Amino acid sequence: MTKYLLTVFSIFGLTFSLIAQPKSTDPVAEKNIIITGRVIDKDLKMPLEYATVAFFSKSENKIVDGCITDTNGNFSIPVAKGIYDITIEYISYKKVTLSNKNLTKNEDLGTIGLIENLSALDEVEIIAEKTTVEIKLDKKIYNIGKDLTTAGGTVSDALNNVPSVSVDVEGAISLRGNENVRILINGKPSAMAGFGDTNIFSQLPAEAIERVEVITSPSARYDAEGTAGILNIILRQKETLGFNGSFNLTLGNPDNVGVSANLNYRTEKFNLFSNLGFRYSAPPRISFNDSKYSATTVDGVTTNPEYERIIEDQKVDRLNRNYNANTGIEYFLSDKTSVTASLFYNFGNDDDLSLNTSDRYNGGSIVEKTLRSEQESEDDNKYQVALNYITKFNDDGHQLTADFQYENGSEDKLTVINEDYIDTDKTNPDSFQNENVFTVEDEKEYLLQADYVLPINDKSRFEAGYRGNFRNKLTDYVLQQEDISDGSYFVNDTLTNIFDYTQNVNALYTQYGTKFGEFSFLLGLRLENTQLKGDIDSRLTEEELQTAFGYPIDTSFDNNYLGLFPTVNLIYNLAGGSEDSEENISFGYNRRINRPNSWFINPFPSRSSRTTVFQGNPNLEPAFASAFDIGYLKRWDKLTLTSSIYYQYETDSFEFIQENTGYYTSDGIQITRRIPINLSNNTRTGGEVGVMYNPEKWLRINSSFNFFQFEKEGEFNGIDYGTKNTSWFARFSSKVTLPASIDWQTNMNYRGPSATAQGETEGIFSIDLAFSKDIFNNNATVSLNARDLLNSRKRKSTRFTEGIETYSEFQWRQRQVNLSLIYRFNQQKKRERPNGGGGMDDDDMGGF
C-alpha cells in the first residue's frame, strides 16, 4: 500500500513538473528522442528507486528535464536533441555526472552504479545525534537533535527542553521566567500558534520542529511585541531532490494515539511539502483548593463568614481529538525567484467532564457537601492561507521578499453547569441555579509584509521593510440560567454580551549592519502604530457596568499608540576572525511592547467557578520595556559554554491581582475575582549559563541554569501590591548509548519557588526518561519514553486575599508513557547540516 501511494505521489509530481515547463516554439527543441537507463547500488547490485536523473542543457545553461527511477531502478524520458551534462543522484550516495553527452537519437545509458557516500553518512549521523547551539547577532539558535524524551510528544514538550524556555503545568510558555513572550512560526505570526493561544502546541507533533530560535534581543526586523523576547519555531521542510518523507505512530497511557506523515517531493522546478496528523488524547486533570475564611471589616462593620473552611476537590476527564494539515508548494520561476503557497488547517473537538466536590466546615466538622458538574463541548476550526514571493537580484544577498497571510479561526463552546447538595445541615436550603453557557468566538487576521535587503559591500548591509497586522475577534456570550420555580431557562441579559475587539499594527523598520575586523554590529529602528478598538454590546449602561464591576468602563473605545523601538546588537569575536568563531562576547539592547489581548480586556467575568471568577479590564493599556543583554560563548573540542546576564525595566506592566468583589453566592460564600491591571513598574535582572559536553561518542551531557530576580512597584484600589522575588530554574540532560546501540536519555527539570505580593508557589521537580533503538537498516526508530516519571509536575501555591487564605494544588497532565515508531523512506535521520559557531548568517548580516 505504501509503495502504491508513493508511486501515485511521484507520478503527480512529475506530471505537474511537465505541465509547468514552458512550451517551446522551436521545432528543433521538440522532445523527439527517448533516453533510458537503470540506476543500482554498485556494491549490492540492488536497484535504487526514486533516484533522480537531471539533464543540464549546455546551450541553455540550465536544467531542462528530469525524472525519477521506478521500483526496478529504471528510467525513461523524452528529451530534445542536444548536448547535456546528465547527473544521477540518490540520497547518501555519491553523485555521478555524465559530461558533454551529445544526444541525437534514442539511447540507452545502460546500468549506472552509485557508491554509498560513507563520509557523508558518518557526518549525517553526528549531526542527527547532537543538539547544537549557534550564537548570532540577535538570537541563539538551538538545532533540535534526537531528543528521545519528546518522541511521540508535542511541540510543548520539545520547547520545555530548550534552554531559557520553560512550559508550566498549564502549558503557558515563558522565556527566562517571563510569560510575555512572542511566538512566531517560521518568522511570522501564524494560526499554527493559535492566535496567541499556546494550547495548540500541545497538539502539534514535536517531530515537526527543525530548530528553535531564542531571540532575547530582537532586531528591528521583528515585531516589537513581547517584553521577554521572541521564540521563533522553524518547522521542517525537506530540500532533498526526489520523493522522501516519514510516518510516525504513537500509542500511550493515559490514552494517547497519534498518527502523522511528512511527505515531500522536489524537482529542480518545484517543491511539494505536506505534514498531516491526527491526535487523540484523554489526559485527566486534577486540582485541589483548601480555603480558610476569617471575619472582614468594612466601614467599621465586621462580617463573619458563612463557612470557616471550604475544601474543593476537582477531577476533569478530558477527551481531545485534533486534525492538523500543513501543505504547500514552492515553485521556482527562475534560479533566483520563487513563489510559495501554503495552507494550514486545524480542527479540534474536545469534550470535558469536570466534577468538583466541595466540603464546607464550621467548628472543624463538615456541615455541607455539594457536587458541581461541568460538561464542556468545544469545536475549534483554524486555517491559514499564505503566499510568499522572493527574488534574489544576485548571489550577494540583494533580495526582495513579500508575504501575505490570511487566518481565520472559530470556536464554538457549550458549557452545562449543574450543582446539587450531597449533604447539608440547612432545613430548607436554596436550590442552585443550573446554567448553560454558549460562547462563540470568531477571529480573523491579515498579514502584509515586505522586506528589502541591499548589501553595500561584502561587509555591510542595509535593510528596510513594512509589516501590517490586522486582527479582529468577535466574542458572542450567552448565559442561560434556570428558573428555580418551574425548571425552565431564561437568558440573563445583564451578563449576556457581544465583545468586538480589533487590534491593528502598522510598522516600518530599517536597520544597518557591518563588520570590521573582529567586531560586528546591527543597528535598527522600528516605528509602530498600535490601534486597539473595542465595542461592548450589552443591555447594561456604562454606569450600570461600573456598579457591577467596580470600575469605570468605556463600552466603545478606540486607542492609538505610536512608538519608536530602537535596537542595538553587537558581537566581538575573541577567536581571531575565523569563520566558525570559537569564542565571542555579545551585547544587545531593544525596546519592547506588551499589548493586551481581548481576554485581558473583556470585562464580563468567566463562569468556571461560582466563588472565583476571572474578569478582564477594558482600561488596560500596553506596557513598554527596555531590555539589555550581555552574552559570552566559548567552544572547545568537546565542550560548549554559553552564558549571559540581562536587565529589563518595564513600565505599566501587567499584573493579575485577586480581590473581594463584595458579592456573595446564594449560599453565602464570598466571591473573589482575578483581574489584570497596569501595576506601574517592574524591574527584572538575571543570569543564565549553559553547558554542552560530549566527552565520548557514547555520552552527551547538556545542562543549563537560570537565576532571576524581579521587583514590582504599584498599588490598586488603595492596596500596595509591590513585591520582590528571587527564583531560578535548572535543567540537566544526559544521553548514553548502551550495548546493542540502544540510546538512553534522562532529562531532569527543576523550577524554583516564587512569590508575589499575594502569595507564593513551591518549587517543581520532574524527570523524563526514554529509550530508543534504530531498526530496519536505520530506516525506522522505535522509542519508549515516560514524561514526568515521578508524577510530580504539580503546582502547589498559597494565596492571600483579605479574609481568605487558600492553598491549592494543580496538575494539568499526569505521568505519560508513550511508545512511538517512526519510519523514514529515502532519507537519513537528518540531512541538513547546521551552520557553524558564532558570528552571522544570511538572516543576520548577509552571510559575510
Side-chain angles (χ1 to χ4, degrees):
M1 181 63 179
T2 300
K3 286 184 174 291
Y4 173 76
L5 290 175
L6 303 186
T7 303
V8 170
F9 199 95
S10 301
I11 293 172
F12 167 76
L14 285 174
T15 302
F16 188 95
S17 178
L18 293 175
I19 293 174
Q21 294 287 345
K23 299 294 183 181
S24 173
T25 57
D26 184 359
V28 177
E30 292 295 333
K31 300 179 180 180
N32 49 15
I33 60 175
I34 305 295
I35 306 301
T36 59
R38 187 168 186 252
V39 182
I40 65 170
D41 182 305
K42 189 172 184 178
D43 296 324
L44 301 177
K45 308 302 180 184
M46 298 290 291
L48 296 178
E49 183 182 6
Y50 301 116
T52 59
V53 184
F55 290 75
F56 182 91
S57 172
K58 306 290 283 188
S59 60
E60 298 183 51
N61 196 34
K62 66 178 183 179
I63 293 177
V64 294
D65 273 307
C67 64
I68 61 174
T69 57
D70 62 19
T71 56
N72 297 315
N74 296 318
F75 67 90
S76 177
I77 180 173
V79 298
K81 295 178 181 178
I83 300 177
Y84 297 92
D85 285 344
I86 306 173
T87 58
I88 301 91
E89 294 182 82
Y90 191 74
I91 298 165
S92 76
Y93 283 72
K94 294 181 179 179
K95 179 172 67 174
V96 169
T97 301
L98 307 178
S99 301
N100 296 314
K101 292 286 294 184
N102 187 6
L103 303 178
T104 59
K105 60 182 180 179
N106 295 346
E107 184 170 341
D108 184 357
L109 299 178
T111 300
I112 302 164
L114 300 185
I115 300 174
E116 197 170 18
N117 189 346
L118 297 178
S119 61
L121 279 175
D122 184 59
E123 179 179 273
V124 164
E125 181 71 12
I126 293 174
I127 297 302
E129 294 291 333
K130 294 175 64 176
T131 295
T132 60
V133 60
E134 304 168 55
I135 306 297
K136 302 300 178 183
L137 266 172
D138 58 351
K139 59 195 170 190
K140 295 184 181 74
I141 302 174
Y142 294 94
N143 297 287
I144 304 300
K146 188 182 177 185
D147 193 336
L148 311 183
T149 63
T150 63
T154 65
V155 170
S156 291
D157 298 320
L159 289 177
N160 206 36
N161 289 338
V162 174
S164 304
V165 180
S166 48
V167 183
D168 71 10
V169 294
E170 294 180 88
I173 299 171
S174 61
L175 180 58
R176 291 173 168 175
N178 187 345
E179 291 186 4
N180 183 227
V181 55
R182 177 69 158 162
I183 308 292
L184 301 179
I185 303 291
N186 296 333
K188 303 176 186 66
S190 172
M192 283 183 278
F195 295 108
D197 177 7
T198 57
N199 286 336
I200 196 172
F201 291 142
S202 64
Q203 307 300 333
L204 295 178
E207 288 77 15
I209 296 181
E210 170 65 28
R211 65 181 185 273
V212 176
E213 297 178 349
V214 178
I215 308 174
T216 52
S217 183
S219 69
R221 181 193 306 120
Y222 295 100
D223 184 0
E225 171 76 20
T227 55
I230 294 173
L231 286 182
N232 187 22
I233 300 172
I234 307 299
L235 301 181
R236 295 186 187 277
Q237 182 176 327
K238 298 295 183 183
E239 295 292 337
T240 310
L241 286 172
F243 184 43
N244 60 85
S246 63
F247 297 96
N248 197 339
L249 173 65
T250 298
L251 299 174
N253 179 268
D255 291 352
N256 180 35
V257 178
V259 180
S260 63
N262 182 350
L263 305 174
N264 302 269
Y265 178 71
R266 174 161 180 166
T267 71
E268 296 293 341
K269 199 64 178 176
F270 66 86
N271 181 35
L272 287 169
F273 55 91
S274 62
N275 292 277
L276 310 172
F278 167 75
R279 187 178 183 87
Y280 170 98
S281 61
R285 173 168 62 87
I286 61 173
S287 65
F288 172 84
N289 289 278
D290 185 354
S291 300
K292 298 176 181 179
Y293 296 83
S294 58
T296 57
T297 301
V298 179
D299 297 329
V301 178
T302 300
T303 303
N304 291 315
E306 180 76 13
Y307 303 101
E308 297 174 354
R309 184 181 185 188
I310 298 177
I311 296 178
E312 295 180 279
D313 193 357
Q314 183 187 45
K315 293 180 174 60
V316 182
D317 291 326
R318 296 182 291 176
L319 179 60
N320 305 326
R321 289 146 296 195
N322 271 266
Y323 303 84
N324 297 291
N326 182 29
T327 184
I329 179 171
E330 181 179 11
Y331 185 77
F332 306 99
L333 301 174
S334 68
D335 291 343
K336 299 186 182 301
T337 302
S338 69
V339 176
T340 302
S342 64
L343 170 68
F344 169 79
Y345 176 73
N346 171 258
F347 173 74
N349 175 248
D350 299 342
D351 290 295
D352 297 348
L353 174 60
S354 167
L355 298 177
N356 189 355
T357 303
S358 179
D359 295 334
R360 297 159 189 180
Y361 291 78
N362 278 326
S365 302
I366 295 180
V367 296
E368 191 168 270
K369 191 182 190 76
T370 64
L371 176 64
R372 177 183 173 92
S373 167
E374 295 183 31
Q375 290 182 298
E376 183 176 284
S377 177
E378 180 179 330
D379 288 337
D380 288 306
N381 273 286
K382 300 182 180 74
Y383 70 86
Q384 169 189 291
V385 178
L387 292 173
N388 167 266
Y389 169 85
I390 180 170
T391 184
K392 298 180 180 180
F393 301 104
N394 55 37
D395 295 327
D396 299 324
H398 185 196
Q399 66 182 40
L400 172 68
T401 60
D403 294 275
F404 168 78
Q405 281 183 187
Y406 170 70
E407 304 174 13
N408 187 296
S410 64
E411 179 183 287
D412 194 340
K413 181 164 62 176
L414 167 64
T415 305
V416 178
I417 302 174
N418 300 295
E419 189 161 1
D420 294 296
Y421 289 102
I422 297 176
D423 188 20
T424 179
D425 63 350
K426 297 176 181 176
T427 305
N428 294 305
D430 294 331
S431 298
F432 296 107
Q433 271 188 313
N434 294 329
E435 297 179 347
N436 297 327
V437 182
F438 300 88
T439 306
V440 177
E441 294 182 350
D442 290 305
E443 188 161 7
K444 296 178 176 62
E445 181 173 355
Y446 296 87
L447 169 71
L448 298 173
Q449 181 173 336
D451 299 279
Y452 176 70
V453 180
L454 175 65
I456 298 174
N457 52 45
D458 63 344
K459 294 184 180 297
S460 301
R461 187 167 84 169
F462 168 81
E463 291 184 50
Y466 162 81
R467 174 183 283 185
N469 261 103
F470 312 98
R471 179 187 301 176
N472 175 261
K473 183 174 183 178
L474 187 70
T475 303
D476 189 346
Y477 178 92
V478 177
L479 172 62
Q480 290 183 347
Q481 291 181 304
E482 182 186 16
D483 187 333
I484 301 299
S485 62
D486 60 10
S488 63
Y489 283 81
F490 65 93
V491 174
N492 182 334
D493 53 8
T494 61
L495 292 178
T496 294
N497 70 94
I498 298 176
F499 184 52
D500 190 348
Y501 180 67
T502 298
Q503 176 182 290
N504 296 326
V505 180
N506 286 281
L508 294 170
Y509 81 90
T510 183
Q511 60 185 21
Y512 172 77
T514 191
K515 180 178 181 180
F516 50 91
E518 311 309 323
F519 183 75
S520 305
F521 71 80
L522 184 62
L523 306 178
L525 184 64
R526 189 177 185 92
L527 174 67
E528 286 194 352
N529 176 258
T530 299
Q531 180 187 37
L532 303 179
K533 295 173 57 179
D535 287 293
I536 301 171
D537 184 358
S538 168
R539 196 203 74 171
L540 300 180
T541 65
E542 291 186 0
E543 291 75 16
E544 290 172 326
L545 286 171
Q546 177 175 349
T547 301
F549 299 147
Y551 51 81
I553 290 178
D554 188 353
T555 58
S556 180
F557 58 88
D558 187 349
N559 301 321
N560 279 270
Y561 306 90
L562 184 67
L564 282 173
F565 301 90
T567 62
V568 178
N569 288 287
L570 314 172
I571 279 187
Y572 183 71
N573 189 354
L574 301 172
S578 63
E579 289 186 7
D580 292 333
S581 173
E582 300 298 328
E583 185 177 17
N584 62 53
I585 56 175
S586 60
F587 169 81
Y589 162 77
N590 63 96
R591 186 170 185 256
R592 311 291 295 164
I593 184 174
N594 182 10
R595 306 181 185 97
N597 59 37
S598 62
W599 188 60
F600 282 18
I601 286 182
N602 190 344
F604 286 88
S606 68
R607 304 293 292 178
S608 59
S609 171
R610 292 193 308 119
T611 58
T612 303
V613 299
F614 175 86
Q615 190 175 338
N617 180 1
N619 304 316
L620 206 60
E621 296 185 352
F624 294 88
S626 293
F628 300 84
D629 188 289
I630 299 176
Y632 172 76
L633 166 73
K634 174 66 175 178
R635 199 189 308 273
W636 292 271
D637 181 38
K638 298 181 178 180
L639 178 69
T640 299
L641 171 69
T642 61
S643 61
S644 65
I645 56 175
Y646 52 89
Y647 170 84
Q648 181 185 90
Y649 181 74
E650 184 176 2
T651 59
D652 291 327
S653 61
F654 301 167
E655 184 70 19
F656 292 95
I657 66 167
Q658 183 153 325
E659 63 178 6
N660 291 324
T661 62
Y663 295 94
Y664 293 81
T665 64
S666 60
D667 48 347
I669 303 174
Q670 295 182 48
I671 299 176
T672 62
R673 70 175 178 184
R674 293 184 69 236
I675 181 174
I677 61 171
N678 292 110
L679 191 69
S680 190
N681 303 326
N682 182 358
T683 302
R684 181 181 294 265
T685 57
E688 60 183 349
V689 61
V691 175
M692 297 183 179
Y693 183 46
N694 306 135
E696 303 291 342
K697 185 177 180 180
W698 55 269
L699 176 62
R700 297 177 179 87
I701 297 173
N702 296 335
S703 183
S704 63
F705 176 81
N706 191 305
F707 175 87
F708 59 91
Q709 180 184 84
F710 62 82
E711 184 173 1
K712 301 175 182 178
E713 300 175 355
E715 64 175 38
F716 182 71
N717 286 346
I719 300 177
D720 184 4
Y721 289 99
T723 186
K724 186 175 183 179
N725 177 57
T726 298
S727 189
W728 56 281
F729 59 87
R731 288 189 181 86
F732 175 83
S733 176
S734 67
K735 183 179 174 187
V736 178
T737 301
L738 302 173
S741 298
I742 296 174
D743 290 330
W744 165 28
Q745 183 172 328
T746 303
N747 288 358
M748 291 185 287
N749 291 269
Y750 181 77
R751 186 182 181 94
S754 61
T756 67
Q758 289 189 289
E760 56 190 27
T761 301
E762 299 180 17
I764 301 175
F765 174 74
S766 63
I767 297 179
D768 300 335
L769 191 65
F771 297 89
S772 81
K773 168 71 175 173
D774 290 332
I775 57 177
F776 302 150
N777 263 347
N778 292 333
N779 288 320
T781 303
V782 60
S783 302
L784 176 66
N785 60 46
R787 290 196 295 275
D788 193 12
L789 182 67
L790 304 179
N791 206 35
S792 56
R793 288 199 71 195
K794 299 178 182 179
R795 184 184 62 212
K796 301 178 181 180
S797 59
T798 303
R799 186 173 60 248
F800 304 96
T801 307
E802 184 183 5
I804 308 174
E805 177 184 332
T806 301
Y807 169 79
S808 63
E809 295 183 4
F810 181 86
Q811 184 177 29
W812 182 259
R813 183 182 67 186
Q814 68 183 49
R815 175 176 48 240
Q816 180 76 47
V817 179
N818 287 328
L819 178 66
S820 297
L821 173 68
I822 182 170
Y823 175 76
R824 299 169 291 271
F825 60 92
N826 292 347
Q827 61 174 263
Q828 296 297 319
K829 285 178 285 187
K830 186 177 179 183
R831 292 184 192 80
E832 298 83 353
R833 182 172 179 83
N835 294 329
M840 296 164 288
D841 61 7
D842 290 340
D843 288 337
D844 292 322
M845 293 292 296
F848 54 76

